[in-house]
Amino acid sequence: MTHLPPPAEELRLIDAELWRLDARRAQLLARRAWLVAALRPAAPTAPAPQPRSEAGAPRVQNVLLLLGGVLLVIAATAFTLVSWGHLGIAGRAAVLGAVTLAALAAPAPLLKRGLRSTAESVAGLALALTVLDSYALHEAALTGTDATGYAAAASAVLAVLWAAYGLLPGTSGLRLPAPAALVAAQATPVLWAIAAAAGPYGVTAALLVTAGFDTVPALRATGRAVRLTAVCGAYGVGGCGVAGALWLSWSAAGPGAATRAAALLLLAAAIALVSSWRPVKPLLATGNALVGGVLLVAALGGTLRVTLPADWTVPAHLVCGVALLAAVRAPLPEPVRRGLTGASAGVQGLALLWALPVVAVTLLGPVSWAGRVWSGAPSDARAAVTADLPWPSHAVAVPVVLAVVAAVSVSVSAVCDAARRPRALAAALTLVWATALVLPAVLQVPYAAGLLLQGLVAAGVLAAAALTSARHTATVLALVTSAGLAFLSLAARTPTLTVLSLLAALFAAAACLSRLAPVAAPAALAYAAALSCATGAAAGWQPQHTALLVLAVPAAAALFAAGLGSSWATVPIEAAGAAAGLLAIGLAAYDAPMLALVLALLGVITAGTALRPGRRNAGYAAAVLFVLAGWVRLAAWDVTAPEAYTLPVTVPALVVGVLRRRRDPEASSWTAYGPGLAVTLLPSLAAAWADPHVIRPLLLGTGALVVTLAGARHRLRAPLLLGGSVLVLDALHELAPYVVQVTDALPRWVPPALAGLLLLALGATYESRLRDVRRVREVLGRMN
């Protein structure tokens, strides 16, 4: 058998061996670090940063050439305009001609040498010199001609010459002459129209014709520079022409002027539509088609505007805009179809914006009757909604506009796919509702008939909420309509009672449907509460008496919610009942006895709600209501003793605390008993310090002593600390000088002294018991 050393010796040997291993490990790690440092190559030195060039060589070259060309053009212009008088006619012509010919001839050899940028710069200089040559020719030999006509002819000639110059064999590689020729051609038609005194119609036509010619190279040119120049010219010049045509159409005073302006707008629309038909980018094609559609509407609507009354201008344009929807079924390219559809939608949207003020007045105007309740029924429906708001002009056509757009929305909802059909149906329903809403005010029907029609609208949209997929939209419209109807009915007593009764019944009937109950039931309760207030006011009751009638609403809400169980409508109904209860409290706030009764009845209703599963927390609200009812009743009886207010709260609170501690022994005594004890002890302590008599301090001290003993007995911090603190403060109050004595025979210090001795005795008993427990624990420990 192997001999083993004693445990102590073996432990010493193991520790020594571990120490030697640690020392050897440290030596090896140090050697490894040195070898790694020796084998690691030296880090390469970073090269010094070189200055970064901020412009490439081609860019520098182009900038220099551009600046050189600009300076030469400036010099030539200065020579032509400033130094003109220093030379004779022959000398001036020879100088300009020689310089121009040299500049025109220079790009060809430059292109052969591969200096394209330099050739482009020199070509630009040559083209600018030809402009100066044309000016010099007019000033030298053609001073008697019309300047505008000469400028038109010169621009046309320059455009032809520049285009031909760009096609010559030696200069065909230049990119500048063709776009420059196109730019020069832009001014020719407009200048000819001005020279011919064609008037605004002729100038506008010249602009549009120029834009039409620009669309050809914009769509067919292969060179990027030419195409970009043509696009800019088409949109720039065409935009000016369209603006002029629209202004002429709007300011046309007769059919002839309107027809000429419409012809111009039709020309612009044709250009836009033709450009959208060509195979260009889809987004650009759609935009061109949209502009073309809008211009078609403006052209047709402008001719109708001068023949129709002013009220029907917008409907005329709207009809033309709706006619564009025929493009949906026409064999057109998809971008064109989308553009025309967008143009129609845009026209309809603008028409709706025009009709919006009338709808807003119809909706917001009835609110003003809340400040003049039962002041007298107005003469008609328009007077009812314009008590404080002005009636918009040209409102007679608003129902037609709304009805036309509503019909379009209905037709769209019938043909669109399932994903977009609900939105289209909601839009159609909203427009139909708006049409029916504004119709009584527009037609100035009698006040009673207006109320009836608006009530039918409310019932109709509520039925739509029950029968169609646009439930949310229809429900909101029903609530808005009913609210406006309720405000309108405030003008007179009988309409108020009638309308509120019908609205409460209508929404109560709708609440029978589960899909409408979460909204319809609270609305019915709200109108029932309003009806209760109106009934009390009509009967001449005081507000506090009306509050008792309003209490029927929260009672009905509690019963209705109890029958629904876990329905989605339960919480909204309970919220509506709570709001009605608050209304009742507000009505009875200035009569203490009636307020106490209202609070007590609400406490009964809330306590009944607390009996339902899932509504146990309502018991706290019921307790609060009962306590408030008791406090108000005591205040009405002129009771000033704080204990009368606090003890009814303390006793239930302590009972609840006891029950909670039984269910949850880990619950803190501050949570279970602290609130209940503090409610009575603290107000009573404050009253005792201000009370000159002896009964309250004595009773308070006795109660605090009992609470302290109970806390000590059950080892609860809250009763022990609260009772002890109140007891000490009450004792200090009794020991203060010139305070009423407890009895004539008993000195003032005796009650506090007795209480102190009692507490000392209890403390000593606790200490003795704790000492015995420690001794037993020590004996058991030694035995183990």
Side-chain angles (χ1 to χ4, degrees):
M1 296 181 62
T2 303
H3 173 72
L4 294 176
E9 181 65 19
E10 185 179 2
L11 180 60
R12 185 185 65 79
L13 295 175
I14 292 175
D15 289 341
E17 187 64 25
L18 289 175
W19 182 84
R20 283 193 296 270
L21 291 175
D22 290 339
R24 183 58 177 167
R25 175 179 174 80
Q27 293 174 358
L28 294 176
L29 288 175
R31 180 62 177 174
R32 181 182 182 279
W34 183 87
L35 292 174
V36 170
L39 294 175
R40 182 180 300 166
T45 304
Q50 298 295 328
R52 184 176 61 90
S53 56
E54 298 180 352
R59 179 174 298 179
V60 174
Q61 164 194 297
N62 294 333
V63 170
L64 293 177
L65 292 174
L66 177 62
L67 291 176
V70 170
L71 291 176
L72 288 175
V73 170
I74 293 174
T77 305
F79 170 77
T80 305
L81 298 178
V82 178
S83 301
W84 190 252
H86 298 287
L87 297 174
I89 296 177
R92 292 193 296 266
V95 171
L96 284 176
V99 173
T100 302
L101 291 176
L104 290 173
L110 291 175
L111 287 176
K112 290 181 179 180
R113 293 176 178 272
L115 302 176
R116 175 176 294 277
S117 298
T118 306
E120 295 286 352
S121 300
V122 175
L125 173 63
L127 299 181
L129 288 174
T130 57
V131 177
L132 294 177
D133 288 335
S134 64
Y135 172 75
L137 179 63
H138 178 268
E139 292 296 323
L142 302 174
T143 55
T145 60
D146 178 60
T148 306
Y150 176 80
S155 63
V157 171
L158 288 176
V160 174
L161 291 177
W162 291 354
Y165 178 70
L167 297 177
L168 294 175
T171 56
S172 58
L174 295 175
R175 291 191 293 265
L176 184 60
L182 188 59
V183 171
Q186 304 296 309
T188 302
V190 179
L191 292 175
W192 272 344
I194 295 174
Y201 289 93
V203 174
T204 304
L207 289 171
L208 293 176
V209 169
T210 303
F213 281 116
D214 286 335
T215 57
V216 177
L219 297 174
R220 294 185 176 273
T222 56
R224 185 173 181 271
V226 176
R227 186 171 63 252
L228 182 60
T229 304
V231 169
C232 294
Y235 282 108
V237 178
C240 295
V242 167
L246 290 174
W247 180 81
L248 291 173
S249 177
W250 184 257
S251 60
T259 302
R260 291 195 297 271
L264 295 174
L265 289 173
L266 289 176
L267 175 60
I271 294 172
L273 292 175
V274 169
S275 63
S276 67
W277 197 283
R278 300 295 300 173
V280 295
K281 293 182 179 181
L283 184 60
L284 186 61
T286 300
N288 291 337
L290 189 149
V291 172
V294 172
L295 292 176
L296 283 175
V297 172
L300 299 177
T303 57
L304 296 176
R305 182 183 61 83
V306 296
T307 59
L308 294 175
D311 293 338
W312 298 97
T313 299
V314 173
H317 286 80
L318 177 62
V319 171
C320 297
V322 172
L324 291 177
L325 291 177
V328 175
R329 299 190 178 277
L332 299 174
E334 183 61 26
V336 178
R337 185 183 295 111
R338 285 200 302 267
L340 293 177
T341 305
S344 177
V347 172
Q348 295 178 53
L350 292 175
L352 291 178
L353 286 178
W354 175 81
L356 186 60
V358 176
V359 179
V361 170
T362 307
L363 283 176
L364 301 178
V367 179
S368 61
W369 289 104
R372 53 183 77 177
V373 178
W374 296 351
S375 58
S379 59
D380 53 53
R382 182 180 297 182
V385 299
T386 56
D388 288 335
L389 295 175
W391 183 249
S393 59
H394 309 302
V396 66
V398 168
V400 176
V401 169
L402 295 173
V404 170
V405 182
V408 173
S409 299
V410 171
S411 62
V412 169
S413 65
V415 299
C416 63
D417 53 18
R420 291 182 293 179
R421 185 174 293 115
R423 293 195 296 270
L425 184 60
L429 179 62
T430 303
L431 292 169
V432 171
W433 165 80
T435 304
L437 188 69
V438 303
L439 196 60
V442 171
L443 299 179
Q444 290 184 284
V445 302
Y447 172 68
L451 292 179
L452 177 60
L453 290 176
Q454 192 160 345
L456 293 177
V457 172
V461 291
L462 201 57
L467 300 176
T468 65
S469 59
R471 180 183 63 181
H472 300 294
T473 302
T475 302
V476 172
L477 296 179
L479 292 176
V480 172
T481 308
S482 63
L485 180 59
F487 280 113
L488 277 178
S489 68
L490 296 178
R493 178 181 303 176
T494 301
T496 301
L497 297 175
T498 303
V499 167
L500 292 178
S501 301
L502 293 177
L503 288 177
L506 176 64
F507 281 97
C512 297
L513 301 176
S514 59
R515 63 183 302 179
L516 299 181
V519 176
L525 294 173
Y527 288 121
L531 178 62
S532 301
C533 296
T535 302
W541 294 355
Q542 294 296 323
Q544 60 269 22
H545 299 132
T546 305
L548 295 177
L549 186 60
V550 175
L551 284 178
V553 176
L559 293 176
F560 193 23
L564 292 178
S566 59
S567 171
W568 286 99
T570 302
V571 174
I573 290 173
E574 291 174 345
L582 292 176
L583 175 62
I585 293 173
L587 292 173
Y590 295 100
D591 190 323
M594 190 60 68
L595 178 60
L597 179 59
V598 169
L599 290 171
L601 293 177
L602 284 175
V604 172
I605 296 172
T606 309
T609 302
L611 297 177
R612 291 164 40 203
R615 292 293 183 270
R616 303 302 183 191
N617 291 332
Y620 297 108
V624 171
L625 290 171
F626 284 130
V627 169
L628 291 176
W631 286 358
V632 173
R633 184 71 263 180
L634 291 173
W637 286 337
D638 295 329
V639 175
T640 59
E643 290 79 11
Y645 296 87
T646 58
L647 285 175
V649 179
T650 295
V651 174
L654 292 178
V655 172
V656 171
V658 171
L659 296 177
R660 180 174 180 180
R661 289 274 295 179
R662 287 183 179 179
R663 291 196 307 268
D664 183 13
E666 299 297 328
S668 172
S669 62
W670 288 105
T671 304
Y673 306 118
L677 294 175
V679 165
T680 292
L681 292 177
L682 298 181
S684 297
L685 179 62
W689 274 80
D691 193 348
H693 303 287
V694 71
I695 302 300
R696 176 178 279 112
L698 181 60
L699 294 177
L700 176 61
T702 304
L705 179 61
V706 172
V707 170
T708 304
L709 294 176
R713 172 66 178 82
H714 297 285
R715 300 182 182 179
L716 300 175
R717 292 182 179 178
L720 183 63
L721 295 180
L722 282 175
S725 301
V726 172
L727 181 60
V728 170
L729 292 175
D730 185 63
L732 291 176
H733 171 267
E734 288 302 305
L735 290 176
Y738 307 109
V739 181
V740 292
Q741 298 180 356
V742 179
T743 59
D744 295 335
L746 189 64
R748 292 193 300 255
W749 55 268
V750 173
L754 293 177
L757 290 175
L758 180 60
L759 293 178
L760 287 176
L762 289 175
T765 304
Y766 269 104
E767 184 179 8
S768 176
R769 292 182 178 178
L770 291 174
R771 184 188 57 192
D772 295 340
V773 170
R774 284 196 298 269
R775 289 179 178 176
V776 171
R777 186 170 60 247
E778 291 175 357
V779 171
L780 293 176
R782 287 195 298 269
M783 292 175 63
N784 189 29

